[in-house]
Amino acid sequence: MKAFTLVETMVTVLIFSFLIAAIFAVMNTGRLSWFTGDTSVELRQEIIKAYMTMEREIRQTRPSQTDLTVNTTTNAVTFTLPVDLDADGTVLDTVGQVEWSGNITYALNGTNITRTAGGVTTVLGRNINSLEFTLLQVPLNSIQIDISAQKVSATGRTIQDSGQITVKMRN
């Protein structure tokens, strides 16, 4: 009868151990990449979500209806929007002047971008570590918004993302 010797069996077990360790290392690297990518996508979604709301509203206001001064950077902006206050179907009053809403404020509160209007505060974006508004001189009637976000992923890695958008306001 022929059989495997103890040495041959131990060498085979050792080779399989190395193969299994290599497979687990590759799988762990893939898992880390997955969680890092997932966190990065989550941060990008928070930035885009905040930009969409801010762009839609800031596009409707005028530079004179904001509290910004040209080429000055701040982490909050307060402005008003044209609204139909007298419910006559138009944003103009009886003498042809635009009716403006109460103040709306976008600000960085801790790690959240918030929108405050009429005493109600809503969160537009989370995990934000920097928010800057700049009223630009060129292009005329534009606000530049810079956002930086940061989050620690499930694997303990710190992921960062940032974005910038320029919004043209009405004249």
Coordinates of all heavy atoms in Angstrom, one line a residue, residues 5 7 11 34 37-38 67 71 74-75 89 92 99 102 114 116 126 128 131 140 152 156 164 166:
T5 N 3.2 10.5 3.3 CA 4.0 10.5 4.5 C 3.5 11.7 5.3 O 2.8 12.6 4.8 CB 5.5 10.6 4.2 OG1 5.7 11.8 3.5 CG2 6.0 9.5 3.4
V7 N 5.4 14.2 6.3 CA 6.0 15.4 5.7 C 5.2 15.9 4.5 O 4.9 17.1 4.4 CB 7.5 15.1 5.4 CG1 8.1 16.3 4.6 CG2 8.3 14.7 6.6
V11 N 3.3 19.5 4.3 CA 3.6 20.5 3.2 C 2.4 20.9 2.5 O 2.1 22.1 2.2 CB 4.7 19.9 2.2 CG1 4.8 20.7 1.0 CG2 6.0 19.8 2.9
W34 N -14.6 48.7 -0.9 CA -16.1 48.9 -1.0 C -16.5 49.9 0.0 O -17.3 50.8 -0.4 CB -16.7 47.5 -0.7 CG -18.2 47.6 -0.7 CD1 -19.0 47.9 0.4 CD2 -19.1 47.5 -1.8 NE1 -20.3 47.9 0.0 CE2 -20.4 47.7 -1.3 CE3 -18.9 47.3 -3.2 CZ2 -21.5 47.7 -2.2 CZ3 -20.0 47.3 -4.0 CH2 -21.3 47.5 -3.5
G37 N -15.3 53.4 -0.9 CA -16.1 53.9 -2.1 C -17.5 54.3 -1.7 O -18.1 55.3 -2.1
D38 N -18.1 53.5 -0.8 CA -19.5 53.8 -0.3 C -19.5 55.1 0.4 O -20.4 55.9 0.3 CB -19.9 52.6 0.5 CG -21.4 52.6 0.8 OD1 -22.2 53.0 -0.1 OD2 -21.8 52.3 2.0
D67 N -27.4 89.4 2.2 CA -26.5 90.1 3.2 C -25.1 90.1 2.8 O -24.2 90.4 3.6 CB -26.8 89.6 4.6 CG -26.4 88.2 4.8 OD1 -26.1 87.5 3.8 OD2 -26.3 87.7 5.9
N71 N -16.9 90.1 -3.0 CA -15.6 89.5 -2.8 C -15.3 89.3 -1.3 O -14.2 89.2 -0.9 CB -14.5 90.3 -3.4 CG -14.6 90.3 -4.9 OD1 -15.1 89.3 -5.5 ND2 -14.2 91.3 -5.6
T74 N -18.1 84.3 3.6 CA -18.7 84.0 4.8 C -19.3 82.6 4.8 O -19.5 82.0 3.8 CB -19.9 85.1 5.1 OG1 -20.4 84.8 6.4 CG2 -20.9 85.0 4.0
N75 N -19.6 82.1 6.0 CA -20.1 80.7 6.1 C -21.6 80.7 6.3 O -22.2 79.7 6.6 CB -19.5 79.9 7.2 CG -19.8 80.4 8.6 OD1 -20.3 81.5 8.7 ND2 -19.3 79.7 9.6
G89 N -52.1 86.1 -7.4 CA -51.6 85.4 -8.6 C -50.3 85.9 -9.2 O -49.8 85.4 -10.2
L92 N -46.1 90.6 -7.8 CA -46.1 92.1 -7.7 C -47.2 92.6 -6.9 O -48.3 92.0 -6.9 CB -46.2 92.7 -9.1 CG -45.1 92.3 -10.1 CD1 -45.3 92.8 -11.5 CD2 -43.7 92.7 -9.6
E99 N -43.0 91.6 -4.3 CA -43.2 91.2 -2.9 C -42.2 90.2 -2.5 O -41.9 89.2 -3.2 CB -44.6 90.5 -2.8 CG -45.8 91.5 -3.2 CD -47.1 90.8 -3.3 OE1 -47.1 89.6 -3.7 OE2 -48.1 91.4 -3.0
G102 N -40.0 86.4 3.8 CA -39.2 86.6 5.0 C -37.8 86.1 4.8 O -37.5 85.5 3.7
T114 N -27.7 74.0 7.2 CA -29.1 74.1 7.5 C -29.7 75.3 6.7 O -29.0 76.2 6.3 CB -29.3 74.4 9.0 OG1 -28.5 75.6 9.4 CG2 -28.8 73.2 9.9
T116 N -32.9 77.9 7.3 CA -33.8 78.4 8.3 C -34.7 79.4 7.6 O -34.2 80.4 7.1 CB -33.1 79.0 9.5 OG1 -32.2 78.1 10.1 CG2 -34.1 79.5 10.6
R126 N -25.2 66.7 5.5 CA -24.5 66.3 6.7 C -23.1 66.0 6.5 O -22.6 65.9 5.4 CB -25.2 65.0 7.2 CG -26.7 65.2 7.6 CD -27.3 63.9 8.0 NE -28.8 63.9 8.1 CZ -29.5 64.6 8.9 NH1 -28.9 65.4 9.8 NH2 -30.8 64.6 8.9
I128 N -20.5 68.0 6.9 CA -19.9 69.1 6.2 C -18.9 69.8 7.2 O -19.3 70.0 8.3 CB -21.0 70.1 5.7 CG1 -22.0 69.4 4.9 CG2 -20.3 71.3 5.0 CD1 -21.6 68.8 3.6
L131 N -18.2 75.5 4.7 CA -19.2 76.1 3.8 C -18.9 77.5 3.6 O -18.7 78.3 4.6 CB -20.6 75.9 4.4 CG -21.8 76.7 3.7 CD1 -22.0 76.1 2.3 CD2 -23.1 76.6 4.5
L140 N -21.1 89.0 -13.0 CA -22.0 89.9 -12.3 C -23.2 89.1 -11.7 O -23.7 88.2 -12.4 CB -22.5 91.0 -13.2 CG -23.3 92.1 -12.6 CD1 -22.4 92.8 -11.5 CD2 -23.8 93.1 -13.6
V152 N -15.6 59.7 8.6 CA -14.8 58.5 8.8 C -15.6 57.3 8.4 O -16.7 57.1 8.8 CB -14.4 58.4 10.3 CG1 -13.6 57.1 10.6 CG2 -13.6 59.6 10.8
G156 N -12.5 53.0 9.4 CA -11.7 53.9 10.1 C -10.9 54.8 9.3 O -10.1 55.6 9.9
Q164 N -17.6 72.9 -5.7 CA -17.8 74.4 -5.9 C -18.9 74.6 -6.9 O -18.9 73.9 -8.0 CB -16.5 75.0 -6.3 CG -16.6 76.5 -6.4 CD -15.2 77.1 -6.9 OE1 -14.9 77.0 -8.0 NE2 -14.5 77.7 -5.9
T166 N -21.2 77.9 -8.9 CA -21.4 79.4 -9.1 C -22.9 79.5 -9.5 O -23.3 78.9 -10.5 CB -20.5 80.0 -10.1 OG1 -19.1 79.8 -9.6 CG2 -20.8 81.5 -10.2

